[in-house]
Amino acid sequence: MLEHVPHWLGSALKGVRAGADKLVIAQPGLGSFAALRLASPAFADGARLPERFTADGEGVSPPLYWTEVPEGTERLALIVEDPDAPAPQPLVHALVWDLPPEGALVEGAIRADGHGGADGSDVGRNSYLAEGWLPPDPPTGHGQHHYAFQLFALGAGPDVGETPGRSAIVKAMAGRVLAAGLLTGTYSRGEEAPIGPVAGVVA
């Protein structure tokens, strides 16, 4: 949809961004927590997202895996946000609640699941109020956007019901975050776009 924004308009809005300080992982209300490892075999941290995961390609969600989840973790929550969106708040691209402490998400796994997945996890609502993966779709000429994949290991606490939104998940996480991991992919339109290294290749 935003690929139709004129290059001149995207360039004019380059300075209008929500800000990384508004990402969920940066909110002081979550308290202090340890680090866990979140990675993808499809792209390295800080590298450009392959086109197939964006609105310019198939628009499927990327594969993810995690390690170093602390003992006492009851469930995991994944929140994917774009802090470079020209809006007051980061754009939510995906929410997944109640992921298992040990596991992974295969390519295309973040999709509408109605009352939840077979593994007990539940895909919540993105910023377009729809379940599933909202493919990166930055305005042409707006510059590089950073897509923050944030994974939270949570201790015991209340559930959030079916198809939760960002505010419900953030409220449910308060005081329960044991560890968190951050993986960032980038994407842009209308400017140089070198492909970064692929994750999973250990030096």
Side-chain angles (χ1 to χ4, degrees):
M1 183 172 66
L2 296 183
E3 70 272 16
H4 302 301
V5 171
H7 191 284
W8 66 265
L9 180 56
S11 296
L13 292 172
K14 268 191 175 180
V16 181
R17 295 173 184 256
D21 61 317
K22 295 181 181 176
L23 289 170
V24 171
I25 202 168
Q27 299 312 301
L30 297 182
S32 59
F33 41 80
L36 60 80
R37 183 172 182 243
L38 175 63
S40 173
F43 65 95
D45 186 34
R48 182 176 172 85
L49 288 167
E51 193 172 278
R52 69 180 180 276
F53 304 125
T54 76
D56 293 327
E58 291 89 342
V60 296
S61 61
L64 302 169
Y65 66 91
W66 48 88
T67 57
E68 302 171 26
V69 176
E71 290 186 18
T73 297
E74 182 179 274
R75 66 188 71 192
L76 298 175
L78 175 71
I79 302 176
V80 185
E81 298 179 291
D82 173 11
D84 295 310
Q89 296 292 330
L91 195 69
V92 177
H93 284 263
L95 298 171
V96 187
W97 176 256
D98 212 6
L99 286 165
E102 294 184 8
L105 286 173
V106 299
E107 182 173 311
I110 305 176
R111 57 183 180 271
D113 63 0
H115 298 304
D119 62 355
S121 64
D122 193 15
V123 174
R125 290 175 282 112
N126 56 45
S127 281
Y128 285 7
L129 303 180
E131 287 186 38
W133 171 248
L134 178 62
D137 186 20
T140 302
H142 193 250
Q144 184 170 263
H145 280 223
H146 296 78
Y147 297 90
F149 294 75
Q150 307 156 89
L151 185 68
F152 300 90
L154 307 175
D159 205 340
V160 291
E162 296 173 1
T163 60
R166 181 186 190 271
S167 59
I169 286 182
V170 172
K171 183 178 179 181
M173 292 196 312
R176 299 172 56 191
V177 180
L178 305 178
L182 175 65
L183 171 67
T184 303
T186 66
Y187 198 68
S188 60
R189 284 197 179 108
E191 50 196 86
E192 287 188 26
I195 298 296
V198 174
V201 179
V202 180

